[in-house]
């Protein structure tokens, strides 16, 4: 989560910040060194080198943790600008690679090698979303000296997140029992966890960064499909994901008054489509209930 840099009032703190910046820079250089061949293979839709993707994911996970720790005490501007630019470029390329990979869960036959292929694709998606999380962390760090590599990284991350949610996590055409089996695998569990973390970070950033109307519309559409999914989402371990999505929706309602009426309208429309036992029975109280929920 983004945090404000604390004032550094001693030489010890300053030295500690420099040491942390050097460690982070070393990890970024490590990430740069392992990228040769990894992204080119994915972008050309050739066989995925899962070892390289796994290594990239490991290094990015380390960078994510180091960056979170660093931003708790320092500004990202203390890291050399060229390192931040390299990291941004790598992360955006992984995000684009994640958008290329399309998983069709409904086509999974019984053969084990096909299942393994889907697991590899999930790892590519997770690596892409992890890259998106890092980009959002950098964006939250407020480094004015470094030109942003992507024009609207929040939009790019939101698009990638929506694609993953719709094609991999909550496809409506997949029976709940098959999706439940797939969700129990370690790669998909990790992917869902990354989705939760991105939603949580976006909820935090909603009050700090001005989201565009397009970003808000993209996120809200995905959130409502997740919250009102009819494929047994509550039975396949997506409760944390839905809670994070709901929290982001609440933050959008709180910080963006222009979105409030559309959010309330979408709640009413979605609930009317739900089975009768779950729908509201008193039409006159629907809008008041939806509005009061977000204001509570």
């Amino acid at each position: 989560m983004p945090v404000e840099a604390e004032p550094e009032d001693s030489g010890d703190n300053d030295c500690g910040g420099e040491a942390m910046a050097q460690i982070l820079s070393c990890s970024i250089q490590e990430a740069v060194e392992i990228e040769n061949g990894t992204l080119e293979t994915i972008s050309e839709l050739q066989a995925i080198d899962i070892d390289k993707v796994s290594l990239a994911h490991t290094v990015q996970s380390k960078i994510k943790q180091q960056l979170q720790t660093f931003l708790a005490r320092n500004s990202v501007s203390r890291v050399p600008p060229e390192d931040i630019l390299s990291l941004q470029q790598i992360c955006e390329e992984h995000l684009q690679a994640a958008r290329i990979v399309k998983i069709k869960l409904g086509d999974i036959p019984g053969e084990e090698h096909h299942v393994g292929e889907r697991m590899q694709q999930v790892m590519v998606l997770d690596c892409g979303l992890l890259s998106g999380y890092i980009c959002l962390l950098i964006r939250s760090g407020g480094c004015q000296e470094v030109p942003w590599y992507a024009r609207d990284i929040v939009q790019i991350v939101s698009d990638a997140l929506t694609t993953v949610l719709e094609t991999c996590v909550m496809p409506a055409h997949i029976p709940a029992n098959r999706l439940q089996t797939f969700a129990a695998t370690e790669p998909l569990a990790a992917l869902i966890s990354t989705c939760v973390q991105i939603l949580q970070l976006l909820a935090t950033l909603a009050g700090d960064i001005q989201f565009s109307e397009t970003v808000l519309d993209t996120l809200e559409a995905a959130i409502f499909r997740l919250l009102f999914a009819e494929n047994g989402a509550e039975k396949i371990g997506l409760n944390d994901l839905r809670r994070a999505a709901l929290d982001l929706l609440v933050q959008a309602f709180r910080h963006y008054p222009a979105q409030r009426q559309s959010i309330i309208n979408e709640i009413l429309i979605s609930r009317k489509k739900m089975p009768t036992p779950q729908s509201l029975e008193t039409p006159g109280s629907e809008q008041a209930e939806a509005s009061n929920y977000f204001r509570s």
Side-chain angles (χ1 to χ4, degrees):
M1 293 174 60
V3 289
E4 296 181 358
E6 298 177 355
E8 299 173 8
D9 54 5
S10 72
D12 289 343
N13 286 342
D14 188 68
C15 292
E18 290 298 330
M20 294 172 65
Q22 290 177 8
I23 292 173
L24 180 58
S25 291
C26 289
S27 296
I28 293 173
Q29 290 303 316
E30 184 181 358
V32 171
E33 291 173 1
I34 67 173
E35 287 307 311
N36 293 333
T38 303
L39 296 170
E40 291 82 353
T41 298
I42 297 173
S43 64
E44 295 171 6
L45 297 180
Q46 299 172 355
I48 298 173
D49 188 334
I50 197 60
D51 291 333
K52 285 188 176 181
V53 173
S54 178
L55 182 58
H57 187 279
T58 298
V59 174
Q60 287 183 348
S61 296
K62 180 170 62 175
I63 290 174
K64 170 194 162 188
Q65 296 298 327
Q66 292 173 349
L67 190 57
Q68 286 176 316
T69 301
F70 184 80
L71 290 177
R73 294 177 175 270
N74 307 274
S75 167
V76 72
S77 61
R78 297 191 63 171
V79 182
E82 59 272 17
D83 289 342
I84 294 297
L85 282 172
S86 296
L87 180 59
Q88 289 173 177
Q89 184 167 1
I90 289 172
C91 287
E92 189 184 345
E93 288 172 344
H94 274 290
L95 270 170
Q96 297 296 349
R99 296 174 66 182
I100 293 174
V101 175
K102 303 296 182 183
I103 297 181
K104 298 180 179 179
L105 299 184
D107 296 337
I108 296 179
E111 291 84 351
E112 183 176 348
H113 70 280
H114 284 284
V115 177
E117 179 183 347
R118 298 308 187 274
M119 295 301 101
Q120 293 177 356
Q121 292 172 331
V122 168
M123 290 186 68
V124 172
L125 295 178
D126 192 21
C127 196
L129 290 189
L130 178 58
S131 295
Y133 187 96
I134 292 172
C135 287
L136 292 177
L137 279 179
I138 298 173
R139 177 67 178 83
S140 72
C143 183
Q144 302 300 324
E145 294 82 358
V146 180
W148 185 244
Y149 182 75
R151 292 185 178 180
D152 190 349
I153 194 61
V154 180
Q155 182 67 62
I156 293 175
V157 174
S158 298
D159 288 341
L161 175 65
T162 298
T163 298
V164 170
L165 289 175
E166 293 181 348
T167 63
C168 188
V169 177
M170 56 175 190
H173 63 285
I174 304 300
N177 60 342
R178 175 170 291 182
L179 193 56
Q180 184 174 12
T181 299
F182 193 51
T185 63
E186 183 176 347
L188 188 60
L191 178 63
I192 292 174
S193 176
T194 304
C195 290
V196 170
Q197 294 175 54
I198 288 181
L199 288 169
Q200 291 172 337
L201 182 53
L202 286 170
T204 301
L205 294 177
D208 300 328
I209 296 176
Q210 186 66 30
F211 290 176
S212 69
E213 183 177 353
T214 304
V215 166
L216 291 168
D217 290 343
T218 299
L219 292 172
E220 289 171 15
I223 287 171
F224 279 114
R225 282 193 289 272
L226 178 61
L227 294 178
F228 295 96
E230 298 181 357
N231 65 338
E234 72 283 353
K235 299 178 181 179
I236 59 175
L238 299 186
N239 287 333
D240 288 345
L241 186 62
R242 298 177 100 177
R243 279 193 290 268
L246 181 57
D247 184 49
L248 175 54
L249 191 64
V250 170
Q251 296 306 315
F253 188 92
R254 177 176 300 167
H255 294 291
Y256 299 89
Q259 299 293 121
R260 291 175 182 172
Q261 191 58 52
S262 65
I263 291 175
I264 292 173
N265 292 342
E266 190 61 39
I267 291 174
L268 301 180
I269 292 172
S270 298
R271 295 195 66 170
K272 286 179 180 178
K273 294 178 181 179
M274 297 172 68
T276 303
Q278 303 178 54
S279 61
L280 296 173
E281 299 293 340
T282 310
S285 67
E286 290 179 345
Q287 181 154 341
E289 179 179 337
S291 179
N292 289 337
Y293 175 81
F294 285 101
R295 292 191 174 97
S296 60

